[in-house]
Every structure is written in C-alpha cells, then in structure tokens.
Amino acid sequence: MPPVRNRPVTVSGPPVHEAGGVLTIDLAALVANWRELKRLAKPAECAAVVKADGYGLGLEPVARALAQAGCRTFFVAHLSEGRRLRARDPASAIYVLNGLLPGTAPIYAECNLRPVLGSIPELNEWIAFRESSGWRGGAALHVDTGMNRLGLTLREAAALAERRPEARAGIDLVMSHFAVSEDPTHPLNARQMGLFRELRELFPNVRGSLANSSGIFLGPDARHDLVRPGVALYGANPTPGHTNPMRPVVRLDARIVQVRTVPEGETVGYGAAWTAQRPTRIAVVSVGYADGFLRSAGATDKRREGADATVKGKRCLIAGRISMDLLAIDVTDVPGEPPRRGDMVALLDKDIGVDQLADRAGTIAYEILTSLGRRYARVYREE
Ligand SMILES: *Cc1c(COP(=O)(O)O)cnc(C)c1O
C-alpha cells in the first residue's frame, strides 16, 4: 500500500496501539538528505543505494520517495532486491552490486537490471549471454582499488581494456569502492583515488563511480560522474567526528509494559549484570534484541554506559542486559508524574541518533539500521 501524501500512514506491521515499538520513517528527511548530497556532488549524478531493504527502512517506500524527488539510478545488492524494485519502478537504472550469479543472466534481461560485474568469469558469462540472446542492456564493471573484496584487479582491467569490452558487454559504468572513506586522513583514500583515475584512462568513454556516502565528502577527486550514497541518506553521519550534516530519518518509540521499584543492591535482568545503586524505578519496555535492539546496548556493572532512552523529555539509561522481547530503563530521575504502563519512550529520536546508539552498542549505524525489527508498527511520514 503506497503512503498517502501529507498523512502519516502505517504501511506494515501490527496496528500502532498493539505494537511494542513504533518506527517512524521520515521520508521528507530522506529526500532532503538525498538533495543535500546531490548538491554537494554536483555536477556528478547522485544515485541511491537501497540494498538490504533500503537499509532496513523499506525498499519500496524509500525508493519511491527518492524516485519522486528525481533520483534515476539505484543500487541494490541482490538480484531479488532488483526484481522487487523493478516491479514498482519501470524506468530507473538499477544496478545489482553483488554481481552475476551463475545462470542468472536471463533474469537480468527479463527485469531490465544491470549486473555489477566483478570478475572475469562473470564478465565472460555476461558477454556469452548477450551474444546468444541479443540482449543489449547495460552493466557496470567493478575494479578493485584496495578493498580486496569484489572487483577485477587493475591488471585484469588493463588487459581487458585493449579488447574494448564496452561494446560486447554493454559496460556503461566503471566503478570501485572505498575501504575507509569515513577517515579522510587515511592514506588508502588517496591511493584508491589515484588508481581509479588510472582506471578511468583505460575506459575513457565510460562513466565512472567511486564515492559512497563518506566518499562524497573527500572532495571533487572522489566524485567522478556518479556518486553512490547509502547510509547518509538514512541519517547516519558520513563525517564521523564532525557535526552530522544529514537530517535524522528514523525515530523509534517503545511501549512501557510495567513500572516497578527495585531496592538498592538488587539486580535487574538476565545475568544479574546491573545492580541498583539506590532505590530505583524501572520501566520495562516491549522491545528487545529480537527487534534488532542489540543486546550489547545495555549497561552493566562493568560498563555503566549503555544506550539511552528519552522518557518524558529526560534522558535515561537502559539498565542491564537486553532480553529478547524486553528491556529495562532507569526512570528514577524523570521529573513530575512517574511514567506509567502504556506510555511511550523514545529509543531513537532527534537527540539519540543511530550513530550514538551504534556507538553504545559497540557497532556502526549500518548495523543498527539494517537490524530494525519486523515486529514494529511502521509509520511513514511524507512531511
Ligand atoms: C553499500 C555500498 C555503497 C553505499 O555505501 P554507504 O557507505 O552506505 O554510503 C556504495 N557502493 C558499494 C559498492 C556498496 O557496497
């Protein structure tokens, strides 16, 4: 069900009043983030990476909002994701990052998808398919410049360039991927940019793409013809250590199931890992690690700094181990009327961002976003 303009609409999950958690996705902020990255990247084209179900926020609503804003090129990781996107979007260019799995070339033609070819066997299989089928659709060529994950070696690319594969394989994009663009001081960035420039000279008539979200902030030498932001669209900070230039996109509210008082010296939760240092009022909330709220985000006696929650405007600490379906919040210091059963608390809001939660859980915003649970009610806001 497509969201209706100007009205928040629940598009998936249980009804809001039954849900343990309510995930609100601000599509206007998503679009504003895309526009900001597009402005920065100019004159390069700004694509959007919507792999892993739009980084956990929902492939269809995310891609639809971006396409309406003018995004014309999308990247997914899996063929199945490309197929899903194509079903809703007949026009955009859709590249499949994980490449061509054996025997799947006909599906690329059927769905008008472009494989990102990352090895010589993939390239050969694609060329053979194009020659036998007459399919004329495009593909990207992925060349490794230092990530050592996917992509041809530069030596392979140079040998290949002499045989001009553009025509036979329909190569319309050469790309590579940064390994550490979030750290602009790392010497690998300059090395990758230099190697990518050499690569472009081998394929002078093909468009080039190097930058992910953080790569866009490395300056004009990183941007080439097309940039491929993912995580920054969804509100994570592409410039760690500096103010986040992106708007938050995700908000997570969770329901209080009960409020109880724990005497000083008693422990809260599994493992008896968090001890009350004073008589403590605890709000137990209906979200847990089965909802993707990582178990490592809870505070313990050994590590008092867990994730935060906002309860009636007050920042509170998540106390003890996070359970599968529940977590506990120390709400002792909430001023005024104590919180009550049925009240909502915020686990992600404009102050508690995905980067901060990731930091407290010992991970990165990418993992927080792509772990967001399936039991939440999801509300998509268009403005
Ligand atoms: C995931 C991915 C991106 C997007 O990266 P972000 O850091 O999320 O912006 C770009 N290019 C490739 C090849 C990727 O795998």
Side-chain angles (χ1 to χ4, degrees):
M1 185 179 69
V4 176
R5 279 221 147 263
N6 305 341
R7 262 198 300 142
V9 172
T10 305
V11 299
S12 64
V16 166
H17 73 281
E18 292 180 15
V22 179
L23 194 66
T24 307
I25 294 154
D26 183 346
L27 294 174
L30 170 88
V31 164
N33 288 340
W34 181 75
R35 292 208 168 105
E36 173 62 7
L37 295 168
K38 177 180 150 81
R39 188 186 66 77
L40 279 168
K42 240 174 168 168
E45 181 188 343
C46 190
V49 181
V50 294
K51 62 194 180 189
D53 200 28
Y55 285 52
L57 305 192
L59 173 63
E60 286 83 2
V62 160
R64 199 181 67 88
L66 293 172
Q68 270 178 4
C71 183
R72 291 288 165 265
T73 304
F74 292 92
F75 289 83
V76 294
H78 288 194
L79 181 54
S80 59
E81 296 170 336
R83 196 204 293 267
R84 253 173 79 189
L85 183 51
R86 180 56 82 216
R88 299 295 184 97
D89 179 346
S92 296
I94 303 172
Y95 290 93
V96 179
L97 288 165
N98 282 13
L100 190 67
L101 289 176
T104 59
I107 304 167
Y108 281 83
E110 192 185 306
C111 301
N112 188 19
L113 303 172
R114 306 183 195 193
V116 176
L117 304 167
S119 70
I120 296 289
E122 283 177 43
L123 179 73
N124 288 341
E125 184 171 334
W126 182 244
I127 290 174
F129 169 73
R130 285 177 106 248
E131 286 174 355
S132 66
S133 67
W135 173 247
R136 286 292 158 263
L141 188 69
H142 190 169
V143 180
D144 184 60
T145 52
M147 175 83 170
N148 284 302
R149 190 177 63 175
L150 297 178
L152 279 71
T153 63
L154 267 168
R155 187 188 291 254
E156 286 172 326
L160 189 70
E162 292 169 12
R163 309 203 321 258
R164 304 254 64 91
E166 296 95 301
R168 290 172 68 214
I171 303 295
D172 54 24
L173 188 72
V174 287
M175 56 170 270
S176 192
H177 190 43
F178 281 119
V180 49
S181 53
E182 70 285 356
D183 175 6
T185 67
H186 199 291
L188 186 52
N189 291 314
R191 203 169 99 212
Q192 290 193 270
M193 285 191 267
L195 292 173
F196 195 69
R197 204 150 273 294
E198 287 177 31
L199 176 70
R200 297 291 313 277
E201 284 164 20
L202 296 172
F203 300 95
N205 301 317
V206 183
R207 298 209 303 161
S209 176
L210 176 60
N212 66 332
S213 298
S214 295
I216 294 170
F217 293 83
L218 293 176
D221 286 351
R223 292 174 196 146
H224 294 268
D225 299 309
L226 180 132
V227 296
R228 308 186 307 269
V231 80
L233 297 172
Y234 310 102
N237 188 358
T239 60
H242 297 86
T243 309
N244 189 353
M246 312 325 299
R247 283 172 53 178
V249 174
V250 199
R251 179 184 171 95
L252 177 58
D253 295 284
R255 184 95 54 189
I256 296 178
V257 183
Q258 64 170 255
V259 179
R260 59 198 302 124
T261 304
V262 176
E264 180 181 344
E266 290 211 8
T267 60
V268 173
Y270 284 123
W274 188 89
T275 308
Q277 308 290 320
R278 56 178 177 174
T280 302
R281 183 177 289 129
I282 290 286
V284 179
V285 154
S286 184
V287 162
Y289 62 75
D291 300 294
F293 204 88
L294 302 184
R295 185 171 176 273
S296 53
T300 61
D301 291 337
K302 286 209 188 77
R303 199 186 66 119
R304 297 299 293 191
E305 172 108 314
D308 286 341
T310 307
V311 184
K312 298 185 158 201
K314 172 87 185 158
R315 286 283 278 266
C316 299
L317 175 120
I318 294 176
R321 294 250 189 269
I322 289 163
S323 309
M324 186 185 292
D325 314 295
L326 296 164
L327 56 79
I329 302 169
D330 178 350
V331 295
T332 315
D333 295 331
V334 173
E337 279 284 295
R340 295 199 320 221
R341 168 175 168 258
D343 288 353
M344 298 296 262
V345 306
L347 298 175
L348 286 168
D349 60 16
K350 62 185 188 335
D351 299 318
I352 308 171
V354 287
D355 292 290
Q356 189 193 95
L357 175 56
D359 187 54
R360 300 286 175 84
T363 184
I364 52 176
Y366 299 75
E367 194 176 13
I368 298 293
L369 288 167
T370 57
S371 302
L372 290 168
R374 296 171 299 276
R375 293 190 294 190
Y376 297 137
R378 289 179 173 230
V379 177
Y380 290 86
R381 274 182 197 284
E382 303 252 342
E383 62 181 47

